Structures are given as C-alpha cells and as structure tokens.
C-alpha cells in the first residue's frame, strides 16, 4: 500500500521560526525557591514526620492501605539486590572471563531512575531469543539436528547477574520461534565446578556430535572438556554425557591458567586429522592455539599459532571458517581450496568487541594470514559496531548457509536488571557471505525466516526531507518493525564549506554540508527521546565521498543510569548504489544494517516516554546544503512464540525427513 507522510506533522516543524531537529540535549536547571519558603517547608516536614511517628506508636494495628495508582513507580529493589555487593571490578573479571557488568555504572550503588513495571515490561523483546528470566550471555554450540535448530547458551539459573554458569538449551524449527528445554549441562564436576563456559559443536561425517567446552575447575583453572549426546536418535538432544576422563586439554606450558578458553568448531585437514583452535594471550598478543586430534579425547599442540596479533590482548570466542569468493551459499567448516577465503574472528577481552579479518589459510602448516595487514584481526573490521559480543557461527546444512549468533548485553545497572528479573538478549541470527563487490568484507543479513513475522506494510515513495527538518512517518505504533530505507541526496547549489570529517563521533546533532540524515526510531511525539540511525557522507580531498553509518543512543532515554553512546564506522557506498539501510526494531533492541550488511550496529535503548503506543518513527535531515529524498517500505512485525517445551509431549516428537 502506498501512503504519504502526514502533512500536519511536516508543517508543524516547517512553521517554526528556526528549527534544528537534533539540538544538543541538556537538562534545564530547576527554578530556585526563596530561602524563606524553603525554611517553612522544612519546618512543616519535621512536624509531619513527628506526627506520623506518634500515630504509628499509638496504633495497635497497621493502617489500611488504599489501592495504589495503576503501575506505581518501583520504589524498592528486590531483597537480592541488597545481598549482591557492587564489585570493585566488573563482574566476571576476577573469575578469569571478560567483564559481565558495566564498570561505568558500577558505582551507582543502587541509585536508579524511577522505573515502573510498565517500563520494564516494555523493554523485553518480542521476537529476539531470551530466557524467561535471569542472566544469559554467550551463545554456545549452535547446530542443526534431525529437523531442529539447537541453541545452547550461558545461563545463571538463580539470578539476573553473571554467575553459576550453566548451559541453557532451546530448540526451533525456524530460528525464530523457540522452545525452552531442560538444562543441557550444569557445573557438577571438579573440572567445571566454577562454570560450564563457552563451547562449540562439531558434527562428524557419520552424524555423531561432539561438544568441546571450557570448564572452570575448582582451582580456577581453565580446561577443555568433551561432551556428547546420550541418545543421538533423540531429535531434541535432551541428555548430554560428559566424557569420564575430562578434561581433555589443560593449559600448555607458557599459557596462563586463566587465558585458555573457548574451543572452536573443528575442521578436517588434508591428513585426515581434526583441528581445533583455542584463544589465549601471550606477552600482550592475542593468539589462537591449534590442536590436532583423531578422536577428540587426545590432542597434539602444534608448534605454531594459527595467528597472532601483538597488542590486541586476550582473544576469546575465536571463530574460524571458510567463505566462498563467488557464491550465494555458506560453506561447511572443513571446506578449503580455490575460490575460498577464510575468516578469523576474535572477541577482544580488553575492548569487548568482536573483530574479524579475511585471509588465506595454509593447510600445509596450519597458519593463516590476512589479506590486508593494516586490517588484521583487532586492527580493522568488526562484526558489529554497537553492543555486541561473544559471537559464534555454525553451518546450516538444511539451507546451505553460515549462520551467526551474537550476545547483546545490557547497558543499564545490575540493580535494574535484578528488579526486572532478566538480563541480555541474543541477536536475530544472521547469514554471512563474502562481499564480492568490495572484496574486502563480509555481508551480514537477518535470516530469511524473520520475514514470517511480517504483518501489514506501508510504503513511502520519494519523501523529500529539507535541511534541518523532521518528517513523521505515520505507521502507528513503532516498537516492532522491519524497515527498508533508501536515500538520495539532492544538492541545493549552495556554496561548499571546508569542514573536518568527524565521522560518527559528534552524533546526530553534528551538522555538515551532506549530513547526517536517516531515521529516528523509538522516538516520542515531542522528540524528547529518540535514537537516530543515520548516514554521514563527507567529501574527501581526492574529490570522492566517504560515508559513515552511525547510531546515536545519547537521547534514547531520560534515565540517567543508562550507559549510552554514539556507535558507527565507515561503510563503502559504491558509485551505482543509493544510501540504503535495513533496521529491525524490537522494543529495547535496534539492529541496523547498512549497504546490504557491510556495516552493522546493534543498539540497546531504555526509553521512558517512547514506549508502547507512544513510540513513533521519523525521517530526519540535519545536513545544511542538501535535500534528502527517501523511499521506504516498513512492516509491522508479529511476536515470536518463545516458551517452554511441553515436556509431557516429548515422547511424541518425531524427526523430520532428511532434507
């Protein structure tokens, strides 16, 4: 259906004598009360407090309470909040893993915005995977088996903060609708007593499944352990057996006991042996150790690293897989040969970002070299330039694709997470392909199954947004959306100005000749809360155009206990391409994909006003000398069915026919 933007909304802004849609946002000082008035108020408060105290002492029964107003502000935290002290260092660091809390917020000591239950309820996503309650972090061992996609994940059964790490387990037919299953593995052995940490699945040629995972021992030593399904004919893989002679790997000489974790999916070499790589750190360099095995119970450490990059620190959650240079499908992890590049990815413990590089794998000595040394692992490209970490891929044999999972953690306080009872979300699974147009990066794109959630759509054709203006897109409630937007810039012929290219750093209020322009998502009608997703092109000295893709969270909420910032990076826009973006909005999660997925940004937002029916969607143009013409197609999205598996029906589950 084709519609036009609201004329009333447009004229509201155009009739202003001067309007810059995204001014620097600062709170206004409160009016000052006269000193005499303050003294009177203070004396009155003392009197009232004395009176209340006298009444309480004299009353044998507690006073009856009137029915509270609908959805009162949460004035107290759960008792567990007071029992959990704010750590001096981020949670998890002392235990030998990456930070699992926000150091910038850890000093709040429970001071929180006056959140309501309605606000907390709105933050929970509608179609992203998350447990019913409590803490979740890294995705583990994703795989496809007998018609079911399996996701395992780091989970705390007892609280909404990190700790007691267990493997949660869920299954899906389509990667969108999920059923929770009983825990796959719990920390019940000496070799994983302090946590069943991150691991990966390998499916052998005969169909057997082996799972290697990191355990934190009773002595806080990181070791690698083997587990496998108790019944391979069970489509749900409900029961897992830990190898009786675990651990199968311990930290080798020269590797610290807390710097040896997160084994990858194994790949088969030309000599018939399997290879596994594990992340570590040596003298400040991030490294990936390589082991060979024929049985997954005994391993040989190779003398050389798969790769190392000085100064990048501890490498966690290493991933290593092939991508086809000219192809529209993914590849099994063991594929190698002509027309193939290999991607090496690491999660950097020091900076909490997922970085990758493309290069060549040399099977003769099990080493890898980047195509571009200047963009080696940790020096150049990121999977995602927003709130994203500890990702993991798997090969989906059903649809011949490489599927990427990633963890989105919270940016509010631990106290708020305890109050709402849950923490963290997984991204929408993404496919990964080589970008054969640029030849320098991958393309990430939401799996096609998310389209099954689409409801009604609205089209906007050729909407002109003038410099310094905002246009509301009348689509109704804007909390669950799939947005496709193309932008073209039209010069107004004004004199060019010399201006520094600041990239994303200045945010959406930083005006220049050609930008920024884009969308305002999760915005309220008065624009007191908004999250700009935008392009910022700039002329280069060579006469070309350099474009940045950005997300500015700094006005996404009025709450003062939320960590928010500007994210983004440069994105290649080729000569025959428009500025294009796809944005998935799901309550407190915004996933944004530029130019077909060359650059991706995940945002966490916690609005206080722009929630439920008050959430709106706008176009904006904060450039000074170009009009922007926008064409959009926007779908409202349904909620996914994510719920416990009906355990009384487990015996009726049948495997699907082979594909």
């Amino acid at each position: 259906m084709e519609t036009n933007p609201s004329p009333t909304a447009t004229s509201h802004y155009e009739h202003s004598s001067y309007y810059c849609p995204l001014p620097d946002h600062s709170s206004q000082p409160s009016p000052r009360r006269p000193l005499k008035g303050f003294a009177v108020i203070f004396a009155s408060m003392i009197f009232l407090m004395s009176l209340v105290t006298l009444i309480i002492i004299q009353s044998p029964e507690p006073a009856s309470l009137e029915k509270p107003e609908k959805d009162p502000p949460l004035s107290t935290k759960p008792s567990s909040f007071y029992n959990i002290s704010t750590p001096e260092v981020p949670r998890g660091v002392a235990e030998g893993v990456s930070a699992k809390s926000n150091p910038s917020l850890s000093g709040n000591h429970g001071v929180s915005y006056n959140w309501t239950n309605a606000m907390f309820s709105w933050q929970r996503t509608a179609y992203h995977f998350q447990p019913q309650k409590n803490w979740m972090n890294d995705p583990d061992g994703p795989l496809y088996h007998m018609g079911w996609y399996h996701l395992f994940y780091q989970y705390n059964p007892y609280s909404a903060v990190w700790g007691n790490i267990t493997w949660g387990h869920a299954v899906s037919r389509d990667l969108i609708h999920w059923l929770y299953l009983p825990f796959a593995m719990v920390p019940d052995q000496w070799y994983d007593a302090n946590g069943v940490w991150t691991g990966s699945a390998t499916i052998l040629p005969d169909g057997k499944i082996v799972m290697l995972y990191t355990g934190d021992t009773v002595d806080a030593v990181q070791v690698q352990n083997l587990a496998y399904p108790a019944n391979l004919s069970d489509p749900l893989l409900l029961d897992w057996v830990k190898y009786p002679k675990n651990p199968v790997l311990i930290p080798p000489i020269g590797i610290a006991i807390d710097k040896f974790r997160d084994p990858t999916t194994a790949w088969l070499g030309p000599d018939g042996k399997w290879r596994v790589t594990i992340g570590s750190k040596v003298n400040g360099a991030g490294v990936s150790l390589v082991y060979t095995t024929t049985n997954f119970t005994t391993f040989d450490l190779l003398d050389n690293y798969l790769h190392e990059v000085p100064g990048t620190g501890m490498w966690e959650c290493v991933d290593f897989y092939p991508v086809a240079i000219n192809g529209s499908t993914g590849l099994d992890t063991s594929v190698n040969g002509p027309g193939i590049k290999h991607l090496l990815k690491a999660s950097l413990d020091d900076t909490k970002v997922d970085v990758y590089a493309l290069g060549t794998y040399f099977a003769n000595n099990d080493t890898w070299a980047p195509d571009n040394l200047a963009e080696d692992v940790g020096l150049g490209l990121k999977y995602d330039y927003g709130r994203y970490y500890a990702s993991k891929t798997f090969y989906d044999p059903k649809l011949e694709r490489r599927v990427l999972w990633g963890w989105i953690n919270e940016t509010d306080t631990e106290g708020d997470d305890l109050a709402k009872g849950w923490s963290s979300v997984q991204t929408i699974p993404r496919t990964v392909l080589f970008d054969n147009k640029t030849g320098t990066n991958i393309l990430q794109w939401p799996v096609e199954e998310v389209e099954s959630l689409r409801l009604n759509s609205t089209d906007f054709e050729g909407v002109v947004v003038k410099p310094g203006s905002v246009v509301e897109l009348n689509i109704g409630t804007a909390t669950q959306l799939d947005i496709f937007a193309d932008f073209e810039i039209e010069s107004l012929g004004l004199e060019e100005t010399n201006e520094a290219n600041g990239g994303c750093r200045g945010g959406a209020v930083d005006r220049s000749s050609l930008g920024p322009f884009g969308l305002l998502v999760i915005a309220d009608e008065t624009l007191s809360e908004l999250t700009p997703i935008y392009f910022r092109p700039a002329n280069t000295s060579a006469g070309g155009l350099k474009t940045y893709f950005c997300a500015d969270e700094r006005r996404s909420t009025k709450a003062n206990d939320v960590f928010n910032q500007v994210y983004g990076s440069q994105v290649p826009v080729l000569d025959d391409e428009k500025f294009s973006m796809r944005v998935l909005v799901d309550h407190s999660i915004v996933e944004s994909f530029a130019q077909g997925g060359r650059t991706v940004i995940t945002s966490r937002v916690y609005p206080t006003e722009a929630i439920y029916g008050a959430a709106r969607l706008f176009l904006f143009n904060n450039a000074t000398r170009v009009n922007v013409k926008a064409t959009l197609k926007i779908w409202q999205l349904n909620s996914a069915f994510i719920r416990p598996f009906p355990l009384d029906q487990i015996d009726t589950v049948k495997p699907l026919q082979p594909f």
Side-chain angles (χ1 to χ4, degrees):
M1 174 174 91
E2 258 187 39
T3 62
N4 293 313
S6 164
T8 56
T10 305
S11 61
H12 172 74
Y13 298 109
E14 289 183 343
H15 291 169
S16 302
S17 57
Y18 172 76
Y19 180 69
C20 176
L22 301 170
D24 289 309
H25 185 65
S26 59
S27 59
Q28 297 295 320
S30 302
R32 207 172 194 179
R33 293 182 181 273
L35 184 60
K36 180 178 178 182
F38 177 81
V40 172
I41 292 172
F42 181 78
S44 300
M45 290 175 63
I46 294 296
F47 173 76
L48 287 173
M49 290 172 65
S50 302
L51 183 61
V52 169
T53 302
L54 181 63
I55 292 173
I56 291 174
I57 292 173
Q58 292 181 347
S59 298
E61 299 291 337
S64 61
L65 298 177
E66 295 181 358
K67 184 178 180 180
E69 295 180 3
K70 184 179 180 181
D71 192 27
L74 294 175
S75 57
T76 61
K77 300 292 182 190
S79 58
S80 59
F81 172 77
Y82 295 104
N83 298 331
I84 297 180
S85 59
T86 302
E88 294 297 324
V89 295
R91 195 175 299 278
V93 172
E95 291 82 1
V97 291
S98 62
K100 299 299 188 292
S101 62
N102 298 314
S104 60
L105 301 176
S106 61
N108 280 358
H109 300 289
V111 176
S112 172
Y113 182 81
N114 203 21
W115 296 103
T116 66
N117 285 322
M119 293 175 189
F120 280 150
S121 295
W122 182 90
Q123 291 173 15
R124 192 167 176 88
T125 60
Y127 58 87
H128 283 71
F129 178 80
Q130 60 185 125
Q132 289 178 292
K133 60 181 181 179
N134 295 334
W135 169 273
M136 174 180 65
N137 54 290
D138 307 8
D140 293 315
L143 58 88
Y144 180 81
H145 178 67
M146 298 178 72
W148 293 91
Y149 292 101
H150 291 254
L151 175 65
F152 306 89
Y153 51 93
Q154 304 279 278
Y155 182 65
N156 184 352
Y158 308 112
S159 178
V161 299
W162 182 86
N164 313 297
I165 294 302
T166 296
W167 271 31
H169 186 191
V171 291
S172 172
R173 295 288 198 188
D174 60 5
L175 292 172
I176 300 298
H177 305 288
W178 290 90
L179 297 168
Y180 306 118
L181 291 175
F183 302 148
M185 290 189 283
V186 299
D188 59 358
Q189 303 295 322
W190 71 266
Y191 51 77
D192 59 14
N194 282 318
V196 182
W197 290 355
T198 298
S200 301
T202 300
I203 300 179
L204 306 183
D206 61 3
K208 291 180 180 177
I209 300 171
V210 294
M211 194 78 75
L212 291 175
Y213 72 93
T214 298
D216 192 27
T217 73
V218 289
D219 298 315
V221 178
Q222 295 173 9
V223 298
Q224 313 313 316
N225 304 306
L226 170 65
Y228 40 85
N231 178 10
L232 198 60
S233 64
D234 173 15
L236 299 181
L237 300 176
L238 286 172
D239 298 312
W240 288 79
V241 177
K242 295 177 182 178
Y243 179 55
K245 296 183 180 180
N246 277 334
V248 294
L249 284 171
I250 62 174
I253 295 174
I255 298 298
I257 61 173
D258 62 347
K259 298 291 185 292
F260 182 65
R261 56 184 178 268
D262 309 338
T264 63
T265 294
W267 69 95
L268 195 61
D271 59 359
K273 295 181 179 180
W274 293 93
R275 274 83 171 151
V276 172
T277 186
I278 297 172
S280 188
K281 180 175 78 168
V282 177
N283 297 324
V287 303
S288 47
L289 309 170
V290 181
Y291 288 86
T292 62
T293 184
T294 58
N295 55 16
F296 291 89
T297 59
T298 58
F299 292 80
D300 293 316
L301 174 64
L302 299 188
D303 293 335
N304 50 271
Y305 303 132
L306 178 68
H307 194 56
E308 65 174 313
V309 181
T312 54
M314 176 65 193
W315 284 9
E316 300 187 293
C317 302
V318 172
D319 207 355
F320 185 64
Y321 56 89
V323 291
I325 294 176
N326 293 300
S328 57
T329 59
L331 300 175
D332 178 80
T333 309
S334 296
V335 173
N336 195 12
I340 289 174
K341 290 185 181 292
H342 272 76
L343 184 150
L344 179 59
K345 167 261 170 180
S347 298
L348 300 186
D349 189 14
D350 289 350
T351 54
K352 306 301 177 290
V353 292
D354 276 22
V355 294
Y356 78 94
L358 293 165
T360 302
Y361 168 56
F362 300 97
N364 61 320
N365 63 358
D366 290 298
T367 61
W368 174 92
D371 289 344
N372 182 354
L373 277 173
E375 293 198 339
D376 205 344
V377 178
L379 307 181
L381 298 170
K382 300 177 184 178
Y383 267 171
D384 191 302
Y385 291 84
R387 199 70 177 181
Y388 182 94
Y389 197 63
S391 58
K392 185 173 294 295
T393 66
F394 76 102
Y395 176 67
D396 174 9
K398 178 184 177 184
L399 296 180
E400 298 182 311
R401 58 185 175 177
R402 173 69 51 175
V403 178
L404 170 66
W405 283 99
W407 168 46
I408 312 171
N409 63 347
E410 304 292 327
T411 59
D412 59 358
T413 66
E414 285 189 344
D416 292 337
D417 295 341
L418 288 163
K420 66 189 179 186
W422 57 270
S423 178
S424 300
V425 179
Q426 300 291 339
T427 60
I428 288 296
R430 305 169 184 172
T431 58
V432 176
L433 290 173
F434 178 74
D435 186 353
N436 54 28
K437 288 187 177 181
T438 65
T440 59
N441 55 269
I442 59 170
L443 299 172
Q444 300 175 56
W445 203 243
V447 293
E448 62 186 36
E449 289 90 336
V450 74
E451 298 170 12
S452 67
L453 298 175
R454 289 174 176 172
L455 301 172
N456 57 300
S457 66
T458 308
D459 296 284
F460 297 90
E461 194 74 35
V463 181
V464 176
V465 189
K466 297 178 180 179
S469 65
V470 169
V471 175
E472 183 173 359
L473 298 171
N474 289 325
I475 60 167
T477 303
T479 57
Q480 294 173 214
L481 302 175
D482 187 357
I483 307 167
F484 283 75
D486 290 335
F487 300 90
E488 299 173 86
I489 54 177
E490 302 172 338
S491 175
L492 298 178
L494 301 176
E495 182 179 350
E496 292 192 23
T497 58
N498 294 322
E499 52 196 5
N501 179 14
C504 297
R505 199 175 315 165
V509 300
D510 185 13
R511 304 186 72 181
S512 67
S513 298
L514 304 180
F517 57 83
L519 298 170
L520 304 178
V521 301
I522 309 296
D524 68 328
E525 190 171 7
T526 64
L527 301 182
S528 66
E529 291 180 332
L530 47 82
T531 301
I533 311 295
Y534 59 94
F535 291 102
R536 184 183 174 86
N539 292 313
T540 66
S541 57
L545 205 63
K546 180 184 288 187
T547 302
Y548 289 83
F549 184 57
C550 318
D552 186 349
E553 299 174 351
R554 294 177 303 174
R555 285 178 57 187
S556 61
T557 180
K558 293 180 179 179
N560 59 1
D561 59 347
V562 172
F563 176 76
N564 44 43
Q565 65 183 70
V566 182
Y567 294 105
S569 178
Q570 187 177 345
V571 58
V573 180
L574 305 185
D575 291 341
D576 61 344
E577 295 177 342
K578 298 177 182 179
F579 301 96
S580 66
M581 69 171 74
R582 182 182 184 182
V583 180
L584 293 177
V585 178
D586 187 7
H587 295 254
S588 62
I589 302 292
V590 181
E591 294 188 63
S592 305
F593 304 79
Q595 305 308 119
R598 288 181 190 140
T599 299
V600 184
I601 306 171
T602 298
S603 304
R604 287 301 319 247
V605 295
Y606 304 86
T608 63
E609 301 286 345
I611 58 177
Y612 298 105
R616 296 287 184 267
L617 177 67
F618 297 83
L619 289 167
F620 83 96
N621 175 15
N622 223 14
T624 58
R625 67 176 188 87
V626 295
N627 285 336
V628 172
K629 185 167 68 173
T631 298
L632 306 96
K633 190 174 187 68
I634 305 166
W635 283 271
Q636 298 279 352
L637 294 186
N638 204 348
S639 299
F641 293 102
I642 303 175
R643 60 189 187 277
F645 197 102
L647 296 179
D648 59 338
Q649 300 177 25
I650 282 181
D651 292 339
T652 67
V653 174
K654 303 295 183 184
L656 293 182
Q657 293 298 316
F659 48 84

